[in-house]
Amino acid sequence: MTTSTRFERAITKLYSAFHNKTLNPDDCKQCAVGNILDNKDHWQHLTDKHGSITLNYVGKVHQNLGRKLNGYTPIELLQIESAFLKGCGYHMTTDNRLHKPKTINDSVLFDGLCKVVETLCILDNINNIMDCSLLFNFKPQQLQLQDS
């Protein structure tokens, strides 16, 4: 399977973060996107709410200028982070606040990473490398990312 350079770099960084215990959904430098962006936190200024896939003014400016951070557009970065948080059990409450799960352990982080890998594959238009549907002779429905 042929993958992009950005995909390979992202997977490598996430693998290292997971095994080095430096993956943390509550730290913008150590979350999925923080690790993809070399443990920088400047990406957090692309949205007003952690976990949101809605770009704010700054995010829209960068998106419209065609800026990319380590190969990813601002909206792609927000989609990656949203997938990670949802995979880790975070969810938005009715009053639009991000609710944290009670426990964050390696199993929860792995679930989050599986959602990130799925999202990275969708963004690069490749088959999900974590998909075991061929093994079970099952054809799942194609997932679509939300646009804002």
Side-chain angles (χ1 to χ4, degrees):
M1 174 188 321
T2 304
T3 59
S4 67
T5 302
R6 75 179 188 167
F7 180 86
E8 292 294 329
R9 286 182 183 157
I11 294 295
T12 301
K13 290 174 184 179
L14 293 168
Y15 178 90
S16 294
F18 181 74
H19 288 287
N20 292 332
K21 307 287 188 207
T22 58
L23 188 63
N24 180 355
D26 293 323
D27 183 339
C28 58
K29 291 182 181 180
Q30 293 187 326
C31 61
V33 171
N35 276 287
I36 290 170
L37 298 180
D38 306 314
N39 303 104
K40 305 282 193 265
D41 67 354
H42 54 275
W43 71 272
Q44 71 178 326
H45 303 291
L46 301 173
T47 187
D48 292 330
K49 288 221 175 263
H50 186 219
S52 171
I53 58 169
T54 303
L55 294 169
N56 62 14
Y57 177 77
V58 172
K60 287 177 184 176
V61 167
H62 287 284
Q63 182 77 23
N64 292 335
L65 289 174
R67 297 246 170 90
K68 293 188 177 183
L69 304 166
N70 286 6
Y72 293 97
T73 65
I75 193 65
E76 288 174 333
L77 293 171
L78 295 185
Q79 290 170 340
I80 293 165
E81 186 63 14
S82 177
F84 179 60
L85 292 172
K86 286 177 185 173
C88 288
Y90 287 72
H91 66 275
M92 288 290 186
T93 62
T94 54
D95 59 347
N96 206 25
R97 293 178 157 242
L98 190 62
H99 182 265
K100 179 180 176 178
K102 291 181 182 179
T103 305
I104 300 292
N105 56 32
D106 285 347
S107 293
V108 170
L109 292 174
F110 182 77
D111 290 342
L113 285 178
C114 288
K115 289 297 184 185
V116 168
V117 171
E118 180 180 355
T119 301
L120 293 173
C121 290
I122 291 169
L123 292 173
D124 277 13
N125 200 26
I126 60 175
N127 292 331
N128 184 355
I129 61 174
M130 304 290 276
D131 182 16
C132 63
S133 61
L134 288 176
L135 178 66
F136 293 104
N137 194 23
F138 178 74
K139 194 170 195 163
Q141 294 178 356
Q142 179 66 29
L143 293 176
Q144 298 292 322
L145 295 177
Q146 296 176 344
D147 291 328
S148 65

